[in-house]
Amino acid sequence: MKNFSFVNPVKIIFGKDTIQQIANEIPQGSKVLMTYGGGSIKKNGVYDQAVKALKNFEWYEFSGIEPNPHYETCMKAVALIKEKGINFILSVGGGSVLDATKFIAAAACFEDGDPWQILSKGAPIKKALLFGDIITLPATGSEMNSGAVITRDETKDKLSFASPLTYPKFSVLDPTATFTLPPRQTGNGIVDAFVHVMEQYLTYNEDDTLMQDHMAEAIVKTLVEEGPKALENPMDYNVRANLMWASTWALNGWISCGVPEDWATHMIGHEITALFGLDHAQTLAIVLPGVMTVLKDQKSKKIQRLGKEVFGIQGENAIPETIKAVESFFEKVSVKTHLSDYGLGEEVIEKVVDRLRNRGWKLGECHNITADTVKEILTLRK
Amino acid sequence: MKNFSFVNPVKIIFGKDTIQQIANEIPQGSKVLMTYGGGSIKKNGVYDQAVKALKNFEWYEFSGIEPNPHYETCMKAVALIKEKGINFILSVGGGSVLDATKFIAAAACFEDGDPWQILSKGAPIKKALLFGDIITLPATGSEMNSGAVITRDETKDKLSFASPLTYPKFSVLDPTATFTLPPRQTGNGIVDAFVHVMEQYLTYNEDDTLMQDHMAEAIVKTLVEEGPKALENPMDYNVRANLMWASTWALNGWISCGVPEDWATHMIGHEITALFGLDHAQTLAIVLPGVMTVLKDQKSKKIQRLGKEVFGIQGENAIPETIKAVESFFEKVSVKTHLSDYGLGEEVIEKVVDRLRNRGWKLGECHNITADTVKEILTLRK
């Protein structure tokens, strides 16, 4: 087990009818900016509950944050914050709204030139506005971590950052807010959480982190057992609650303690989304089985563990059968797993491989996934 | 799943050769009191490492904190703190030293009369000194929670408290510090962590908290798989690391999120320790199988889950076989499970039942364990 240090200061408020508690969590006298996306929160009642909770605050709103949020959009919110003297942000929505909010919180206090440098050059964040969130889509884990992914529309760069100053002060997780999610978003969220675990679990042949392995498997088992039920019975509270809690755990920093991390699937997927507009989770469902297949020797022990502990697969063909089981699980929660399912093919492989060759990245926990390896991976996923 | 809120601000520093990092975690200019127990830290090198890390601080030491730490001892440390103007405490040792340190930190700032009232009446803690720890015995989880158990020697009262102000600022977990633990303490630690999980898992027939159940089972599986290895190969780093991390998780507040909690085994066990001096874990190993047997109908679904998921037991006799498996596991890590193994018998039952009758407590997650039920439980454990 590797050495590690860990701290996570986020306060979680979990359960039904908990949204009104934000009134006690936002510092008194704050000028608040509520950030949100396309308006689904106005249909499911979450917007009205947030407005009610803000009644004793001076507050403003900024809507229109898109999936895979754009730098350009975030900078408009930064301008509003400066104009109004806002000092607290309340994110209401899914991981995209919250990721945008994290960047806005940092960019509003950035004094060393263009805030894009936070993403492009890892420019240090010295200060950030306080923010909290009501999360309405279990998927990204953003509600309990300090990271965010932002896309520059102009250049199609999709990049990430993290800082000790961009943890939410609080996160409200009300499973009833997920009852009305469209099936596509429910399925996407399950796949996203599943792949988050894989990035921190399905790595080279270490077998000295039994505690973290069992924990990772606990999250994955919950997703595998409950995921399909959420699509069948979208208003089953306990199913939604288990999925919401599992998604938070999948990326709150705990299961990465002391283990190697991969993230190749995410890095390849980000390029596909940036260039071709596929949903984030769709790209993950396409790429992960390819990564598992091409890296099957390096990852053999962990693929076998996954098969045995989560899918009950053992025996000679455990590795290909486990890869197949992962693919079938994605399909079962309505996320397709091949480029052709989305009307795409060779053109994706060429463009993505080109971009990765230009970046010179070597991906994966062993830094051995070159542009050529990515070509091999994506060719399997046509 | 019940509603819950959760926050845990403790910074964990985990791994070999990490003790020197405390120099960066203690606020500069602090006057430090190092608290410790009977001197085992002087034999295993931990004391020397702590002293080295404190070289730029003005520091004092207070030793002689006993297992099941005494209020009377703690108050001597409080006097030293006041005399020297100390403003930071560094606990070096196991859960007893750390529990004492939590009480000392609160008692040193208590201005509303006798600090015993924190334990006897739940008097509110308004202020506490900052403290951190180097934990040398994985068992109590005290390194990542805000609770402590203190005994008043004079009256044999063993009582607990917790406060948002008594979380450690940091906890250093160096598995190599556990290499030289005597087998009795290694076994005790494993049993303590195991029973912590049971108190938050083995409750009435809820089946709506799948995520927490899988998490609890992840911890227990780690203890069951790695525990006996630690006794066979005390210097196996990864075994010690997995056990240390599992023990922290067993009581850091996570697995209690959204679930009912029992704690009857602990409450009964505390009385046996206070009256007859048995090790804390010894009392748990005696009591838990009795609680499981007497409450087997109420707890049937969870006993069956435990049997299936952790011990691979299924079928008609799953419940008695699982109870037997738990007992065998305790024996396997060298902790005996009957009163007679410790030269005790009927006199324990009488005294403990009398004390509980006088207190009027109704224990367990359903508040249905009366003094008479405790009599039934302990009679099975002679």
Side-chain angles (χ1 to χ4, degrees):
Chain A
M1 196 184 296
K2 297 172 191 287
N3 284 5
F4 62 87
S5 71
F6 178 82
V7 65
N8 188 321
V10 179
K11 178 171 182 179
I12 296 289
I13 299 166
F14 192 105
K16 50 190 120 179
D17 302 324
T18 49
I19 291 176
Q20 72 278 7
Q21 293 183 33
I22 63 170
N24 308 320
E25 302 295 332
I26 301 172
Q28 289 306 308
S30 296
K31 270 197 199 181
V32 180
L33 180 66
M34 190 202 297
T35 50
Y36 60 100
S40 64
I41 59 164
K42 290 194 175 169
K43 291 182 199 132
N44 64 12
V46 171
Y47 177 85
D48 291 337
Q49 291 179 69
V51 167
K52 199 173 155 198
L54 289 175
K55 70 174 189 286
N56 293 323
F57 294 90
E58 179 182 337
W59 69 275
Y60 303 87
E61 58 189 314
F62 181 86
S63 67
I65 296 173
E66 54 281 284
N68 308 301
H70 293 170
Y71 162 78
E72 293 84 349
T73 308
C74 293
M75 291 312 291
K76 286 180 197 159
V78 169
L80 180 64
I81 283 169
K82 289 186 174 168
E83 182 197 330
K84 302 291 185 189
I86 283 161
N87 53 13
F88 193 93
I89 318 178
L90 176 67
S91 167
V92 186
S96 291
V97 176
L98 183 49
D99 277 16
T101 299
K102 288 177 183 178
F103 183 71
I104 294 164
C109 302
F110 192 77
E111 291 176 346
D112 304 321
D114 183 351
W116 178 248
Q117 297 171 79
I118 293 169
L119 294 150
S120 63
K121 296 184 183 169
I125 295 168
K126 295 171 189 160
K127 207 180 146 198
L129 294 184
L130 285 180
F131 62 96
D133 64 272
I134 300 165
I135 198 86
T136 59
L137 203 173
T140 69
S142 192
E143 64 275 15
M144 204 173 182
N145 65 43
S146 64
V149 184
I150 302 293
T151 300
R152 189 159 190 155
D153 194 31
E154 185 192 355
T155 57
K156 307 291 179 209
D157 283 309
K158 187 172 179 182
L159 300 172
S160 65
F161 79 97
S163 157
L165 296 172
T166 51
Y167 281 102
K169 181 171 152 44
F170 62 82
S171 291
V172 175
L173 286 70
D174 181 344
T176 67
T178 71
F179 283 176
T180 54
L181 281 175
R184 174 168 156 183
Q185 288 196 27
T186 297
N188 279 349
I190 293 162
V191 169
D192 196 14
F194 184 98
V195 180
H196 286 157
V197 178
M198 292 303 113
E199 302 281 25
Q200 304 164 84
Y201 166 83
L202 212 65
T203 50
Y204 60 78
N205 294 333
E206 289 274 359
D207 55 2
D208 59 5
T209 54
L210 194 61
M211 176 63 190
Q212 290 91 328
D213 294 347
H214 279 311
M215 281 285 174
E217 290 151 10
I219 300 167
V220 170
K221 279 188 210 176
T222 305
L223 295 169
V224 168
E225 290 172 47
E226 301 284 79
K229 291 185 204 161
L231 290 159
E232 283 157 31
N233 303 304
M235 296 178 69
D236 184 320
Y237 181 82
N238 289 318
V239 165
R240 291 291 197 176
N242 280 310
L243 286 174
M244 199 163 206
W245 199 213
S247 301
T248 301
W249 277 81
L251 198 56
N252 65 1
W254 278 109
I255 58 167
S256 67
C257 286
V259 303
E261 294 183 67
D262 181 340
W263 296 105
T265 298
H266 269 73
M267 300 303 268
I268 302 167
H270 284 176
E271 298 300 323
I272 303 177
T273 296
L275 293 166
F276 297 92
L278 257 56
D279 294 351
H280 174 55
Q282 292 171 340
T283 71
L284 304 177
I286 294 167
V287 177
L288 180 65
V291 169
M292 289 173 76
T293 305
V294 173
L295 279 290
K296 67 177 185 298
D297 292 334
Q298 179 178 309
K299 294 174 183 292
S300 63
K301 280 195 189 167
K302 282 294 176 69
I303 297 176
Q304 285 167 316
R305 251 200 94 97
L306 176 71
K308 178 165 178 244
E309 299 292 329
V310 176
F311 296 105
I313 295 168
Q314 291 191 69
E316 242 175 64
N317 294 315
I319 289 178
E321 282 174 22
T322 301
I323 298 171
K324 194 73 208 154
V326 168
E327 203 174 293
S328 302
F329 172 65
F330 293 161
E331 300 271 352
K332 202 168 173 187
V333 294
S334 304
V335 184
K336 299 286 180 192
T337 57
H338 290 83
L339 287 167
S340 56
D341 296 322
Y342 303 95
L344 297 170
E346 201 61 50
E347 72 281 18
V348 174
I349 303 174
E350 277 173 31
K351 275 211 172 177
V352 168
V353 169
D354 265 5
R355 289 257 287 198
L356 289 174
R357 203 181 305 280
N358 290 339
R359 293 196 200 277
W361 286 347
K362 294 194 173 176
L363 303 174
E365 75 273 13
C366 295
H367 309 286
N368 59 353
I369 302 182
T370 63
D372 289 333
T373 326
V374 173
K375 189 170 185 177
E376 200 185 337
I377 289 165
L378 290 178
T379 302
L380 290 173
R381 309 306 302 161
K382 281 203 283 195
Chain B
M1 196 185 295
K2 296 173 191 286
N3 284 5
F4 62 86
S5 71
F6 177 81
V7 65
N8 189 322
V10 179
K11 178 170 181 179
I12 296 289
I13 299 166
F14 191 105
K16 51 191 118 175
D17 302 324
T18 49
I19 291 174
Q20 72 279 7
Q21 293 183 34
I22 63 170
N24 307 320
E25 302 296 332
I26 301 173
Q28 289 306 309
S30 295
K31 268 197 201 182
V32 180
L33 180 67
M34 189 203 297
T35 49
Y36 59 99
S40 64
I41 60 164
K42 291 195 173 168
K43 290 183 201 134
N44 64 12
V46 171
Y47 177 85
D48 291 337
Q49 292 179 70
V51 167
K52 200 173 155 197
L54 289 175
K55 70 174 189 287
N56 293 323
F57 294 90
E58 180 181 336
W59 68 276
Y60 302 87
E61 59 190 312
F62 181 86
S63 66
I65 295 173
E66 54 281 284
N68 308 302
H70 293 171
Y71 162 78
E72 292 85 349
T73 307
C74 293
M75 291 310 291
K76 287 180 198 160
V78 169
L80 180 63
I81 283 169
K82 291 186 174 170
E83 182 197 329
K84 301 291 184 189
I86 283 160
N87 53 13
F88 193 94
I89 316 179
L90 176 67
S91 167
V92 186
S96 291
V97 175
L98 183 48
D99 276 16
T101 299
K102 290 177 182 177
F103 182 72
I104 294 164
C109 302
F110 193 78
E111 291 176 346
D112 303 321
D114 183 350
W116 178 248
Q117 298 172 78
I118 294 169
L119 294 150
S120 63
K121 296 184 182 169
I125 294 168
K126 296 171 189 162
K127 206 181 145 197
L129 293 184
L130 284 180
F131 62 95
D133 63 272
I134 301 164
I135 197 86
T136 58
L137 203 174
T140 68
S142 193
E143 64 276 13
M144 204 173 182
N145 66 43
S146 63
V149 184
I150 302 292
T151 300
R152 189 157 191 158
D153 193 33
E154 185 193 354
T155 57
K156 306 294 179 207
D157 283 309
K158 187 172 178 182
L159 300 172
S160 65
F161 78 99
S163 157
L165 296 173
T166 51
Y167 281 103
K169 180 172 152 43
F170 62 82
S171 291
V172 175
L173 286 70
D174 181 344
T176 67
T178 71
F179 283 175
T180 53
L181 282 174
R184 174 168 158 182
Q185 288 196 26
T186 296
N188 279 349
I190 294 162
V191 169
D192 197 13
F194 184 99
V195 180
H196 286 157
V197 178
M198 292 304 114
E199 303 281 26
Q200 303 164 85
Y201 166 82
L202 212 65
T203 50
Y204 60 79
N205 294 335
E206 289 276 358
D207 54 2
D208 58 5
T209 54
L210 194 61
M211 177 62 190
Q212 290 89 330
D213 294 347
H214 279 313
M215 281 285 175
E217 289 151 10
I219 300 167
V220 171
K221 280 186 208 175
T222 306
L223 295 169
V224 169
E225 290 171 47
E226 301 285 79
K229 291 185 205 162
L231 290 159
E232 283 156 30
N233 303 303
M235 296 178 69
D236 183 321
Y237 181 82
N238 288 319
V239 165
R240 291 293 196 176
N242 280 310
L243 287 175
M244 200 164 206
W245 200 213
S247 302
T248 301
W249 278 80
L251 198 56
N252 65 2
W254 278 108
I255 57 166
S256 67
C257 286
V259 302
E261 295 182 66
D262 181 340
W263 296 106
T265 298
H266 269 73
M267 299 303 267
I268 301 167
H270 283 175
E271 298 301 323
I272 302 177
T273 296
L275 293 167
F276 297 94
L278 258 57
D279 294 351
H280 174 54
Q282 293 170 340
T283 70
L284 304 177
I286 293 167
V287 177
L288 180 66
V291 169
M292 290 173 77
T293 305
V294 172
L295 280 289
K296 67 176 184 298
D297 292 332
Q298 178 179 311
K299 294 175 183 288
S300 63
K301 280 195 189 168
K302 282 295 177 66
I303 297 176
Q304 284 166 318
R305 251 200 93 96
L306 176 72
K308 180 168 176 242
E309 299 291 330
V310 177
F311 296 105
I313 295 168
Q314 291 191 69
E316 243 175 65
N317 294 316
I319 290 178
E321 282 175 21
T322 301
I323 298 170
K324 194 73 210 155
V326 168
E327 203 175 294
S328 302
F329 171 64
F330 293 160
E331 299 270 352
K332 202 169 172 186
V333 293
S334 303
V335 184
K336 298 287 177 190
T337 57
H338 290 84
L339 287 168
S340 56
D341 295 323
Y342 303 95
L344 297 170
E346 200 61 50
E347 71 281 17
V348 174
I349 304 174
E350 275 172 34
K351 274 210 173 177
V352 168
V353 170
D354 264 4
R355 289 256 287 198
L356 290 174
R357 203 181 305 278
N358 289 339
R359 292 195 200 276
W361 286 347
K362 292 192 175 178
L363 302 174
E365 75 272 14
C366 295
H367 309 288
N368 59 354
I369 302 181
T370 62
D372 288 334
T373 327
V374 173
K375 188 170 185 174
E376 200 184 338
I377 289 165
L378 291 178
T379 302
L380 290 172
R381 310 305 303 160
K382 280 202 285 194

